[in-house]
Amino acid sequence: MAEANGEVALRDPDDLVKDIERTRENLARTIDTLTERVSPANVAKRALSRVRDQASRPEVQIGAAAVLTVVTTLALVVWRRRRG
């Protein structure tokens, strides 16, 4: 490795090997973490978890019930008009 004054620093080869091994291990852990994070199954699990969390909120449940009521009412009105 070059020093600030441009000279090459002498390093123990065993230290270099240890540094390289440590860097490889860190890189392998980083790659494993990224692979886990972008796995389609894990992405889907996180998305489903977020949907469940949102759906459990009271204001969302009230809104969903209101929408369901309106849709059901409209469906019944349309169905009755078509029948007769």
Side-chain angles (χ1 to χ4, degrees), residues 35-46:
T35 301
E36 187 76 16
R37 189 178 296 172
V38 299
S39 160
N42 291 336
V43 170
K45 285 178 188 175
R46 285 193 304 272

Side-chain angles (χ1 to χ4, degrees), residues 1-74:
M1 183 168 298
E3 295 289 325
N5 62 6
E7 293 184 18
V8 176
L10 298 177
R11 291 186 62 186
D12 181 26
D14 290 334
D15 286 341
L16 287 173
V17 170
K18 287 178 186 176
D19 282 347
I20 291 169
E21 288 173 355
R22 200 169 333 151
T23 301
R24 281 185 184 153
E25 289 171 8
N26 289 339
L27 190 56
R29 275 194 300 275
T30 300
I31 290 170
D32 289 343
T33 300
L34 290 172
T35 301
E36 187 76 16
R37 189 178 296 172
V38 299
S39 160
N42 291 336
V43 170
K45 285 178 188 175
R46 285 193 304 272
L48 184 59
S49 177
R50 283 193 300 271
V51 167
R52 285 183 179 151
D53 289 344
Q54 289 294 320
S56 68
R57 294 174 46 207
E59 62 271 17
V60 173
Q61 290 177 348
I62 291 169
V67 168
L68 183 60
T69 302
V70 169
V71 168
T72 303
T73 303
L74 287 174

